[in-house]
Amino acid sequence: MATDSGSAGRSDDRPDDEFTDFLSLLNEFKSTGCTLLVVGDARRELFTRASASLFGNPETLRYRLLAVTDASSRSVERRLPSPGDSPFALARTTKIANYEVTPRSVADAVPRSEEFDDIPETRVTDAELGGLRSALVSGVEEFAHRASGLRPAELRVGVDSVGTLLDHHGEAVVRECCRAVGRRVRDNDGMAHYVLRDAYDSDRVRALEREADAVIEIRAADPAADGRDAEQRWHVPDRGTTTNWVRL
């Protein structure tokens, strides 16, 4: 998954024309904005890895907004640029929305490693999902104002995880939240991704996939077989497209 380079890796048995079409689709998503649903029956660390990739290269200017419902502090920090690796001030380019309504142990509360202290954090205490939706929309608008207009793919928004939101609010409410946030992200030619740690063929994935431009399915792999421990494939229902499995 390489959303800054324009390449998602290649499988040797993929026909040249099909692979070229897929790369064109990725570039279209980056140019016009998109929402992505990241799913799969896989260990949590792989979702953190996928999310970090979707947030983009730390050396490239990106405005990152991460909403946390049940992710650990370590997971949060691993998907955001380290201040030492990024030439951009994280205090101006990164925000965290901490949805405090859902249960989370003290050990897993959203971060404060010293090097991440400067990242602004909004604590959302509204029991209704509208509070989180407002925090995300406001964060997007703040970044757009700060950048005096965002370039395509400059805005990156992530929610980890919508599974917890589904547990608390149900499918209809979560679909509406994803739709509203996705609309605002696309208005700014950005990329949003929602993490849902369910199997691709599950009912909850079916319920949310209509709110996404593509579904990214991830799974563990045997590194002894081909040197990679995780794989991904993309499903784009509107185009009738499913990629081969490639390296995550």
Side-chain angles (χ1 to χ4, degrees):
M1 185 183 301
T3 56
D4 281 330
S5 66
S7 172
R10 179 167 182 173
S11 174
D12 290 340
D13 58 357
R14 172 173 295 284
D16 287 344
D17 55 350
E18 185 180 352
F19 187 73
T20 300
D21 288 346
F22 179 62
L23 291 185
S24 296
L25 178 62
L26 291 183
N27 287 330
E28 178 183 330
F29 283 164
K30 288 173 61 180
S31 298
T32 62
C34 65
T35 56
L36 307 168
L37 184 62
V38 186
V39 308
D41 183 11
R43 63 186 185 274
R44 185 161 192 156
E45 183 274 331
L46 298 186
F47 288 93
T48 299
R49 190 189 306 179
S51 183
S53 178
L54 289 167
F55 271 120
N57 188 326
E59 296 181 358
T60 303
L61 178 60
R62 297 284 180 253
Y63 290 89
R64 299 174 176 89
L65 174 56
L66 171 62
V68 180
T69 69
D70 62 356
S72 69
S73 59
R74 182 180 180 187
S75 171
V76 169
E77 294 172 359
R78 288 180 62 188
R79 71 190 72 199
L80 298 177
S82 169
D85 295 336
S86 177
F88 309 100
L90 297 190
R92 290 186 55 79
T93 61
T94 308
K95 291 177 67 70
I96 296 171
N98 181 3
Y99 190 59
E100 294 188 327
V101 177
T102 56
R104 187 188 293 122
S105 70
V106 173
D108 281 346
V110 177
R112 283 303 142 187
S113 290
E114 185 175 349
E115 65 175 338
F116 289 88
D117 276 348
D118 290 340
I119 297 178
E121 179 180 332
T122 299
R123 297 181 179 271
V124 181
T125 58
D126 181 359
E128 302 300 323
L129 196 51
L132 179 60
R133 181 179 60 205
S134 295
L136 289 169
V137 170
S138 296
V140 169
E141 292 174 346
E142 180 181 335
F143 281 151
H145 176 74
R146 184 172 296 170
S148 298
L150 292 157
R151 297 179 179 179
E154 209 166 50
L155 172 68
R156 305 295 175 100
V157 176
V159 180
D160 189 357
S161 70
V162 294
T164 299
L165 300 181
L166 287 166
D167 291 341
H168 282 74
H169 301 289
E171 292 175 0
V173 175
V174 174
R175 279 201 306 268
E176 175 56 33
C177 178
C178 291
R179 186 178 306 127
V181 173
R183 185 183 306 119
R184 194 57 55 92
V185 169
R186 290 190 194 93
D187 285 346
N188 288 277
D189 299 330
M191 301 176 68
H193 68 276
Y194 310 120
V195 171
L196 177 56
R197 294 187 298 275
D198 287 14
Y200 174 68
D201 59 359
S202 68
D203 290 341
R204 298 205 302 180
V205 171
R206 295 286 83 76
L208 287 189
E209 68 176 347
R210 71 190 69 173
E211 306 304 334
D213 296 292
V215 180
I216 304 171
E217 182 183 4
I218 64 176
R219 71 179 182 184
D222 181 6
D226 53 19
R228 59 196 189 198
D229 69 341
E231 298 175 318
Q232 60 170 321
R233 64 178 177 180
W234 290 50
H235 306 267
V236 189
D238 287 350
R239 307 290 180 94
T241 297
T242 296
T243 72
N244 286 348
W245 289 102
V246 296
R247 184 187 302 274
L248 176 63

